């Protein structure tokens, strides 16, 4: 008999914090989801094979985990890069007891997708474009090795969240990082991407440590600047924000969408995840909350059986491109 549904923590988090974002909100968001994932941990690993800490490069952070379906492949592949503000984060957050981002890996594997969850180098041990170089290394690793884990090397999806999305965008829109001058992936997902970086403020030290001290250089090497300068091939893109992402994510995202439309004559696929903040989106994967899962699976062509026996449809929601929440 399936367990009774576990209420999503997202509504309480949004009621308390709204679009505010800082370490306290991040810590409390994670803490709110951990009891849910502990309760689901048994069923979340059923039918999933996990291989951990495979090296993809020379640095100690060049390690990745592979989550794969028990059924034989070949399966589509998602290459996931976590957030953490450029200076922190991990493919398995120590403070989560191994549950995050195993929730994402297990969720995708149960939907017939091989998930590669990768670490990358962090500030102060890396400078731009080092994060994009690490993404390139993971793409190259997948092309060479993923068939041995049941994956299809011709069906790679790049998925970056927050700082991980900065690095994914760096790879997508900086042609010299791409083998043969083409992205080499079938599609890409960018979630809650810092499309521009403020030159000052509380994260100034980290931003300048990674991008350099010059403001024009920061602007040119942020995802929006790279998109505008890019002259290479593009791939289908799902660009997502959370309804309660902070303003520093939301407003530059509108500029990115506008620049993308001007450059390519059409907008990317776009979804604003209702009722979630900057971190709760990814933490919701594997739970009954399908607000992120539905558009993600749809984009991957995997909109099959529900993820959870009590999966709930997202609440009605609309958002216009001016960023007004209704």
């Amino acid at each position: 008999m399936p367990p009774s549904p576990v209420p999503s923590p997202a509504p309480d988090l949004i009621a308390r914090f709204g679009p505010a974002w800082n370490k306290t909100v991040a810590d409390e968001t994670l803490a709110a989801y951990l009891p849910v994932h502990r309760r689901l941990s048994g069923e979340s690993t059923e039918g999933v094979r996990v291989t951990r800490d495979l090296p993809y490069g020379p640095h100690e952070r060049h390690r990745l985990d592979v989550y794969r379906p028990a059924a034989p492949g070949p399966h589509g592949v998602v290459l996931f890069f976590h957030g953490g503000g450029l200076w922190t984060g991990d493919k398995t957050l120590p403070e989560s007891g191994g549950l995050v981002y195993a929730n994402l890996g297990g969720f995708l594997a149960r939907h017939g997708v091989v998930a590669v969850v990768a670490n990358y180098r962090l500030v102060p041990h890396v400078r731009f474009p080092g994060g994009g170089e690490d993404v390139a290394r993971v793409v190259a690793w997948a092309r060479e090795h993923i068939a041995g884990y049941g994956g299809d090397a011709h069906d790679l999806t790049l998925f970056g969240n927050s700082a991980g999305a900065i690095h994914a965008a760096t790879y997508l829109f900086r042609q010299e990082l791409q083998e043969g001058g083409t992205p080499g992936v079938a599609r890409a997902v960018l979630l809650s991407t810092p499309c521009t970086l403020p030159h000052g403020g509380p994260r100034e030290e980290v931003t300048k440590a990674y991008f350099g001290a010059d403001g024009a250089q920061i602007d040119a090497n942020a995802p929006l600047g790279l998109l505008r300068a890019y002259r290479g091939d593009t791939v289908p893109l799902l660009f997502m924000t959370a309804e309660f992402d902070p303003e520093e994510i939301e407003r530059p995202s509108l500029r990115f969408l506008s620049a993308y439309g001007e450059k390519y004559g059409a907008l990317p696929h776009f979804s604003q995840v209702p009722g979630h903040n900057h971190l709760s989106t990814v933490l919701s994967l594997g739970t009954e909350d399908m607000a992120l899962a539905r558009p993600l699976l749809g984009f991957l062509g995997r909109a099959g059986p529900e993820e959870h026996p009590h999966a709930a449809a997202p609440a009605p929601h609309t958002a216009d491109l001016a960023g007004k929440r209704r």
Side-chain angles (χ1 to χ4, degrees):
M1 183 175 181
S4 58
V6 182
S8 171
D12 178 61
L13 290 166
I14 297 310
R16 291 163 61 199
F17 300 119
W21 189 249
N22 51 49
K23 187 178 186 303
T24 297
V25 179
D27 289 346
E28 295 205 23
T29 299
L30 178 61
Y33 272 88
L34 289 184
V36 179
H37 287 297
R38 289 191 192 102
R39 181 168 179 176
L40 298 173
S41 59
E43 64 184 86
S44 67
T45 56
E46 186 177 349
V48 178
R49 298 176 180 176
V50 186
T51 307
R52 301 190 188 281
D53 292 323
L54 294 168
Y56 70 87
H59 193 272
E60 63 181 10
R61 290 278 303 179
H62 289 152
R63 298 292 183 272
L64 54 83
D65 298 338
V66 179
Y67 299 78
R68 52 180 166 148
H75 304 285
V77 181
V78 168
L79 311 176
F80 177 74
F81 298 86
H82 61 78
L86 301 173
W87 65 277
T88 189
D90 198 272
K91 58 186 174 60
T92 305
L93 292 180
E95 59 269 37
S96 75
L99 297 173
V100 179
Y101 293 94
N103 69 300
L104 177 144
F107 163 80
L108 289 171
R110 290 191 305 280
H111 279 87
V113 177
V114 175
V116 175
V117 182
N119 276 346
Y120 50 82
R121 290 170 292 166
L122 302 173
V123 170
H125 304 293
V126 66
R127 291 177 62 87
F128 179 88
E133 292 169 348
D134 289 350
V135 172
R137 286 187 175 97
V138 173
V139 172
W141 182 92
R143 286 178 185 162
E144 183 175 355
H145 298 290
I146 204 63
Y149 298 90
D152 183 351
H154 301 289
D155 188 9
L156 305 179
T157 300
L158 193 59
F159 181 6
N161 173 221
S162 192
I166 290 178
H167 299 324
T170 301
Y171 174 79
L172 289 171
F173 301 118
R174 191 174 172 94
Q175 196 168 5
E176 56 265 39
L177 297 179
Q178 305 164 359
E179 184 177 349
T182 61
V185 296
R187 64 194 69 80
V189 179
L190 299 178
L191 171 61
S192 295
T193 311
C195 293
T196 64
L197 285 301
H199 303 169
R203 286 180 283 277
E204 177 181 8
E205 183 177 353
V206 173
T207 297
K208 291 183 175 180
Y210 183 70
F211 287 102
D214 181 70
Q217 184 181 28
I218 294 171
D219 292 343
N221 292 331
L224 177 59
L226 293 174
L227 168 67
R228 287 171 169 165
Y230 182 60
R231 296 295 179 266
D233 294 337
T234 189
V235 298
L237 173 65
L238 173 59
F239 187 90
M240 291 190 286
T241 61
E243 182 183 4
F244 292 93
D245 263 327
E247 288 292 312
E248 64 192 76
I249 298 291
E250 183 176 272
R251 291 189 178 277
S253 292
L254 301 178
R255 294 165 60 194
F256 182 95
L257 289 167
S258 177
Y260 189 102
E262 290 174 5
K263 190 176 192 73
Y264 295 114
L267 291 173
H269 301 272
F270 173 74
S271 180
Q272 188 178 71
V273 184
H276 281 277
N277 70 21
H278 189 63
L279 179 59
S280 65
T281 48
V282 176
L283 296 182
S284 74
L285 293 176
T287 76
E288 65 173 22
D289 185 341
M290 298 293 285
L292 172 62
R294 289 187 195 279
L296 177 61
L297 291 175
F299 185 66
L300 297 176
R302 299 282 173 172
E306 301 294 5
E307 155 62 18
H308 190 275
H310 303 286
H317 168 80
T318 58
D320 63 25
L321 286 183
K324 297 177 181 176
R325 303 180 177 99
R326 297 173 181 165

